[in-house]
Amino acid sequence: MSGAPRVGAVIITMGNRPDELRALLDSVAEQEGDPVEVVVVGNGSPVPDVPEGVRTVELPENLGIPGGRNAGIEAFGPGGRDADILLFLDDDGLLARKDTAELCRQAFAADDRLGIISFRIADPETGVTQRRHVPRLRASDPMRSSRVTTFLGGANAVRTKVFAEVGGLPDEFFYAHEETDLAWRALDAGWMIDYRSDMVLYHPTTAPSRHAVYHRMVARNRVWLARRNLPAPLVPVYLGVWLLLTLARRPSGPALKAWFGGFREGWTTPCGPRRPMRWRTVWRLTRLGRPPVI
């Protein structure tokens, strides 16, 4: 990047958290360095009142998380080319520090192969980071930054060259695993992903299962993820491991029924283009601590 990298932010909203959205926008406006240009996407709903200078896009229908974020990317030009870095932030989050955008600029400028940064998510009252919000298998110490193989969808920064090279998020996923799909494609193209514990998004502690479609979408998209991205011999291994893990967690009867329904749907419905990663990427993922079988 020559000169100061241009930083933008994409926030999708259903219009039902106007106070939280305004607080997030205020935290973005308070970032040090050059101003961060913000686009708020109303995902099938009107966008609440936003400060002057914040651009808005209102989609006529809910396109899901990846579809909404892709619309935000395109608001910065094809593939987001009018920005060098895009932040993706949940509308009920809040940037904890005023130097997050500047830390992103420094990180991307220092490492030409760094493509994605995953922020640390912390509860605003307790400061606790849930284990599931640390994007690696060894997640006991959320304060340890490291190279990782995936990232958190609502708290991250992406170099827009990644989108130009490998494309955006998979629209058809709607919800769940779209980040890993993009991460695997980026890693296969030679980009790296960092988890940074010093880049913090405050977000209330929640359970992902609060979403009514959680179990079906998680299972369906897990199958799609494998079908789209893994070498053929690894597809049954990866999905077999996740089947055993799901059973070991002893979900309720209705949850398990929804999960198996989604698993079946993943095999019987189109998943988008198949571009299996190279075996050297499988080895890179393994060396980074997460072979693509778990």
Side-chain angles (χ1 to χ4, degrees):
M1 298 178 184
S2 59
R6 300 163 298 173
V7 180
V10 173
I11 301 165
I12 59 174
T13 183
M14 299 294 290
N16 55 352
R17 294 188 283 232
D19 294 339
E20 292 89 340
L21 174 62
R22 186 58 182 254
L24 171 62
L25 292 172
D26 289 345
S27 74
V28 174
E30 292 170 356
Q31 292 297 298
E32 299 168 356
D34 292 340
V36 176
E37 184 178 354
V38 180
V39 169
V40 177
V41 178
N43 211 355
S45 66
V47 175
D49 290 339
V50 296
E52 185 178 353
V54 173
R55 290 195 288 146
T56 62
V57 176
E58 293 187 351
L59 303 176
E61 61 179 308
N62 183 356
L63 299 182
I65 294 173
R69 288 185 177 140
N70 283 338
I73 294 169
E74 293 302 305
F76 286 91
R81 68 185 182 190
D82 294 339
D84 298 305
I85 301 163
L86 287 180
L87 312 181
F88 295 86
L89 307 170
D90 276 352
D91 69 340
D92 56 345
L94 184 74
L95 289 173
R97 295 170 46 157
K98 296 182 179 181
D99 62 350
T100 301
E102 188 60 29
L103 289 173
C104 287
R105 292 185 184 98
Q106 294 171 6
F108 285 115
D111 185 349
D112 288 342
R113 297 314 301 166
L114 179 61
I116 302 171
I117 298 173
S118 188
F119 300 169
R120 180 167 63 90
I121 292 179
D123 185 272
E125 296 184 2
T126 66
V128 171
T129 296
Q130 293 179 271
R131 186 180 183 91
R132 69 184 181 91
H133 284 152
V134 183
R136 58 176 179 244
L137 291 179
R138 297 177 180 176
S140 59
D141 182 7
M143 301 306 294
R144 178 173 67 87
S145 300
S146 69
R147 283 264 151 99
V148 290
T149 62
T150 188
F151 64 98
L152 307 176
N156 68 80
V158 182
R159 190 193 298 264
T160 54
K161 286 183 179 179
V162 173
F163 300 128
E165 188 167 349
V166 306
L169 295 155
D171 286 335
E172 52 270 77
F173 278 42
F174 196 85
Y175 164 78
H177 302 318
E178 66 274 2
E179 303 93 350
T180 300
D181 187 88
L182 176 60
W184 283 1
R185 285 183 282 125
L187 288 163
D188 196 50
W191 296 101
M192 301 301 292
I193 305 170
D194 279 355
Y195 166 72
R196 288 283 297 264
S197 64
D198 57 336
M199 301 183 188
V200 181
L201 184 82
Y202 284 146
H203 189 283
T205 298
T206 56
S209 55
R210 70 191 186 279
H211 298 291
V213 297
Y214 172 77
H215 296 287
R216 180 176 70 87
M217 292 288 193
V218 162
R220 184 198 68 180
N221 292 359
R222 184 78 69 184
V223 178
W224 282 359
L225 181 68
R227 288 175 59 197
R228 286 164 58 97
N229 294 288
L230 291 181
L234 294 186
V235 173
V237 179
Y238 177 81
L239 295 175
V241 168
W242 279 104
L243 172 61
L244 293 174
L245 285 173
T246 299
L247 294 174
R249 291 168 177 167
R250 298 183 179 181
S252 67
L256 192 60
K257 181 179 179 181
W259 193 93
F260 273 111
F263 192 80
R264 181 170 54 253
E265 184 182 349
W267 286 108
T268 59
T269 55
C271 63
R274 173 168 166 76
R275 298 187 182 94
M277 67 178 65
R278 292 165 291 185
W279 284 103
R280 70 180 185 185
T281 304
V282 173
W283 176 237
R284 284 183 68 204
L285 289 162
T286 303
R287 287 190 294 113
L288 287 168
R290 189 156 197 162
V293 294
I294 189 170

